[in-house]
Amino acid sequence: MSARELVVLGTASQVPTRHRNHNGYLLRWDGEGILFDPGEGTQRQMLRAGVAAHDINRICVTHFHGDHSLGLAGVIQRINLDQVPHPVTAHYPASGQHFFDRLRYSTAYRETVKLTEAPVDADGPLATTAAYTLDTHRLSHPVESYGYRLTEPDGRRILPAKLAEHGIRGPDVGRLQREGALGGVTLADVSEHRRGQRFAFIMDTRLCDGVYVLAEGCDLLVIESTFLDEDRRLAADHGHLTAAQAAAVAREAGVRHLVLTHFSQRYPDPEAFEAEARGAGYEGGLTVAEDLMRVAVPSRHP
Ligand SMILES: [Zn+2]
């Protein structure tokens, strides 16, 4: 199993279909799990996908439409039922606090887990860990909607040939990394810049600045493409993207792997989304999401 991967729990916009559950996505990022937009039925999809309540450290909700949030009630109760041993943090638009309150306390249950509410009301960083910074940016939808991005800090990649050249081996390698220099050899002499990986989650929006800001330079981008371009008027009216628009964003932003999802039930053929994305000139990795798929974050730039 890849240490960084997306587990797709559901891919339907608005209503579930026979083949697609409401939205739901778990990002595994090293030891942490971030659950995005749990729609109705997410708890059961987790079971089918091999995701446990214990795997969830953080929950990010883009907006309070049912297909992105009705699953909160079940997932939060399950986290408590299973007595998850670590705290869980939830991010969601602050303007929807009343919706979050209702979902969190929709029925009686025993609270056993520390669930921290961290509502979002402005663009910018939400959290920083050793593995990533979580940022948010406002999107454009009939109800307030925020996208999310994870950015791993840049680092250094050790070059074994350079170590050998300078005669550094064994415990000295660790010492050089910790101290930055050793006997006149600097870390820069034996390593190169390593760009941090980026992931973004962009759901329910028309084209706006936030889409481009979040998508920029992503290794893996999950983005809604509710409609096909033949229905772009509908998409604009309802605050959504078409597959062509999403793919053009990915192309311009230099995205390495694009995941299209959140499909309207009006389209029976998923291949049309792939064709449209390619037609828009996007040449990177592409997944037209299906429920229960796993998509690895692409390996680092060589
Ligand atoms: Zn939606």
Side-chain angles (χ1 to χ4, degrees):
M1 187 176 68
S2 172
R4 293 183 181 178
E5 67 171 2
L6 179 78
V7 182
V8 178
L9 301 170
T11 54
S13 77
Q14 200 168 44
V15 291
T17 71
R18 281 186 299 149
H19 302 292
R20 296 186 186 277
N21 199 75
H22 259 175
N23 285 287
Y25 311 84
L26 184 93
L27 178 70
R28 295 188 194 275
W29 191 272
D30 304 343
E32 194 171 326
I34 305 176
L35 178 67
F36 291 93
D37 280 6
E40 192 180 338
T42 294
Q43 186 181 175
R44 184 151 189 273
Q45 292 296 93
M46 285 167 53
L47 182 73
R48 296 180 72 206
V51 173
H54 283 61
D55 295 333
I56 301 171
N57 300 85
R58 199 179 288 279
I59 301 171
C60 294
V61 172
T62 58
H63 68 294
F64 285 101
H65 276 150
D67 53 332
H68 300 260
S69 60
L70 279 175
L72 281 170
V75 169
I76 291 172
Q77 290 197 21
R78 184 60 184 272
I79 286 168
N80 284 278
L81 182 71
D82 289 2
Q83 300 184 23
V84 166
H86 50 257
V88 176
T89 302
H91 305 282
Y92 49 84
S95 60
Q97 183 67 49
H98 54 301
F99 295 125
F100 188 87
D101 293 343
R102 287 180 206 155
L103 289 160
R104 181 173 182 178
Y105 297 114
S106 51
T107 72
Y109 67 101
R110 183 194 294 242
E111 279 195 294
T112 62
V113 174
K114 181 170 161 36
L115 176 67
T116 301
E117 299 183 359
V120 176
D121 62 4
D123 299 345
L126 298 173
T128 299
T129 73
Y132 63 80
T133 295
L134 176 68
D135 280 291
T136 186
H137 205 290
R138 181 84 189 265
L139 299 170
S140 174
H141 196 54
V143 303
E144 195 172 30
S145 186
Y146 282 91
Y148 297 94
R149 182 177 67 194
L150 261 76
T151 306
E152 179 189 28
D154 289 350
R156 306 288 309 177
R157 177 188 290 118
I158 295 290
L159 301 168
K162 292 285 183 186
L163 286 177
E165 206 174 287
H166 289 90
I168 293 170
R169 62 177 93 84
D172 282 348
V173 178
R175 200 169 300 150
L176 176 57
Q177 281 180 279
R178 281 192 306 276
E179 294 169 12
L182 189 71
V185 179
T186 67
L187 187 56
D189 293 332
V190 297
S191 65
E192 61 184 8
H193 179 255
R194 189 193 70 183
R195 181 182 179 279
Q197 290 193 308
R198 292 187 201 177
F199 166 88
F201 185 82
I202 298 175
M203 215 51 54
D204 288 35
T205 184
R206 50 177 71 81
L207 280 180
C208 64
D209 289 350
V211 172
Y212 291 97
V213 170
L214 292 166
E216 183 58 37
C218 276
D219 295 278
L220 185 64
L221 171 65
V222 179
I223 188 167
E224 70 124 310
S225 64
T226 312
F227 291 100
L228 291 171
D229 223 34
E230 67 198 31
D231 295 314
R232 59 184 171 276
R233 290 281 300 275
L234 267 181
D237 288 351
H238 292 95
H240 285 295
L241 298 172
T242 70
Q245 289 172 331
V249 167
R251 186 194 68 222
E252 289 170 35
V255 168
R256 296 177 64 212
H257 195 105
L258 171 65
V259 178
L260 297 177
T261 185
H262 190 270
F263 305 113
S264 164
Q265 59 175 326
R266 70 179 55 226
Y267 307 111
D269 177 17
E271 285 179 14
F273 289 86
E274 178 167 4
E276 193 164 293
R278 291 306 185 195
Y282 175 72
E283 294 175 348
L286 175 62
T287 298
V288 176
E290 301 280 351
D291 290 16
L292 309 181
M293 265 184 174
R294 305 174 106 85
V295 184
V297 176
S299 54
R300 293 177 187 284
H301 275 296

